[in-house]
Amino acid sequence: MNRTEQDNRLITIVVVCLATGMLMLDISVINTALSEIAHGLDTGLGGLQWVVNAYTIPLAATVLTAGAVADRIGRRRLFLLGLAVFTASSALCGAAGGIEVLVGARALQGLGASMMFATALALISQVTSDPKARGKALAAFGAVMSAAFALGPFIGGSLTEVLGWRAIFLVNVPIGVAVLWMTYRRVGESRDPTPRPVDLPGQVTLIAGLFLLVFALLRGNEDGWGSLGIVAALASAALLLTGFAIVEGRAREPMLPLRLLREPRFA
């Protein structure tokens, strides 16, 4: 491996770690700023719950499909798209004048984060063919993820106290722009020569089921667990998630092969 290849490998690993650190940070950084957000945007507990969940639901629900799309159109290309969406939506979060805008921007953040997370390991793998080098890169990746999640409340509290709650989102903008530039200039492209198709029925049933389940859990105390809306949301969520399991069991190329659950290490 020549010097340029070594530099590109190092930059790819740094880029992936920085991007993953940002998306993990945004899961936990929000917690210490919630009271300031409530005061600044004049919202209650329900709005604050959606500020948190609007990020994590798209991140969790679309990451598998994002991986399939990346195999088809290119891992670097989807990583760049995810970075751009995450950075722009972070700026929108920081500029939000109402809770509705903030929740919508957080959902976009989660979507961008899923694209980055789905391609992160593939980008590392393409530049670390040597098992020893790959092991070191994955160790660094895991350490950054853990540190970012653990330090989130401290960083969020410090930024909120010194600069206000908007700073926890706006800090992503310069980092995101820098990572975008490095990715565009120095990270190579890769695709799967035989990509699996996108499991659209599985994706739709999973997202809809998760949304309705979280909606019911968030609104249950306020609206009443026996109210028509909450009962309907819970029942619909159960049907959709059951439908997701059925779809995955019958699909030729499922986004989540259920046979993996029979493997003790995976389960």
Side-chain angles (χ1 to χ4, degrees), residues 15-106:
V15 157
V16 169
C17 287
L18 282 173
T20 306
M22 281 198 304
L23 73 88
M24 292 300 296
L25 195 66
D26 268 53
I27 296 175
S28 59
V29 75
I30 193 78
N31 295 331
T32 50
L34 289 175
S35 61
E36 293 295 326
I37 293 173
H39 177 74
L41 298 182
D42 190 25
T43 188
L45 179 60
L48 295 177
Q49 288 173 322
W50 277 114
V51 170
V52 176
N53 289 290
Y55 179 78
T56 53
I57 291 175
L59 172 56
T62 65
V63 67
L64 294 177
T65 295
V69 173
D71 290 342
R72 189 171 293 270
I73 70 171
R75 283 87 180 240
R76 172 181 173 271
R77 181 177 295 177
L78 193 73
F79 186 79
L80 281 168
L81 177 61
L83 259 173
V85 171
F86 185 89
T87 304
S89 56
S90 294
L92 184 57
C93 286
I99 190 63
E100 295 83 3
V101 175
L102 180 57
V103 170
R106 285 283 284 172

Side-chain angles (χ1 to χ4, degrees), residues 35-209:
S35 61
E36 293 295 326
I37 293 173
H39 177 74
L41 298 182
D42 190 25
T43 188
L45 179 60
L48 295 177
Q49 288 173 322
W50 277 114
V51 170
V52 176
N53 289 290
Y55 179 78
T56 53
I57 291 175
L59 172 56
T62 65
V63 67
L64 294 177
T65 295
V69 173
D71 290 342
R72 189 171 293 270
I73 70 171
R75 283 87 180 240
R76 172 181 173 271
R77 181 177 295 177
L78 193 73
F79 186 79
L80 281 168
L81 177 61
L83 259 173
V85 171
F86 185 89
T87 304
S89 56
S90 294
L92 184 57
C93 286
I99 190 63
E100 295 83 3
V101 175
L102 180 57
V103 170
R106 285 283 284 172
L108 285 175
Q109 257 195 324
L111 185 61
S114 78
M115 297 182 211
M116 293 191 290
F117 196 62
T119 51
L121 291 178
L123 290 176
I124 289 177
S125 296
Q126 77 185 32
V127 296
T128 53
S129 55
D130 177 63
K132 187 175 181 180
R134 182 173 297 176
K136 291 180 179 179
L138 293 178
F141 176 79
V144 168
M145 284 181 58
S146 301
F149 190 78
L151 292 173
F154 170 76
I155 294 172
S158 300
L159 287 173
T160 301
E161 184 176 351
V162 176
L163 300 173
W165 65 266
R166 297 180 188 276
I168 67 173
F169 302 113
L170 295 177
V171 71
N172 292 329
V173 177
I175 299 173
V177 170
V179 175
L180 270 168
W181 183 82
M182 287 191 291
T183 303
Y184 181 77
R185 292 292 302 272
R186 303 298 292 272
V187 175
E189 182 61 281
S190 68
R191 294 178 177 83
D192 189 333
T194 56
R196 70 184 192 274
V198 175
D199 180 12
L200 188 59
Q203 188 66 82
V204 170
T205 51
L206 178 62
I207 292 177

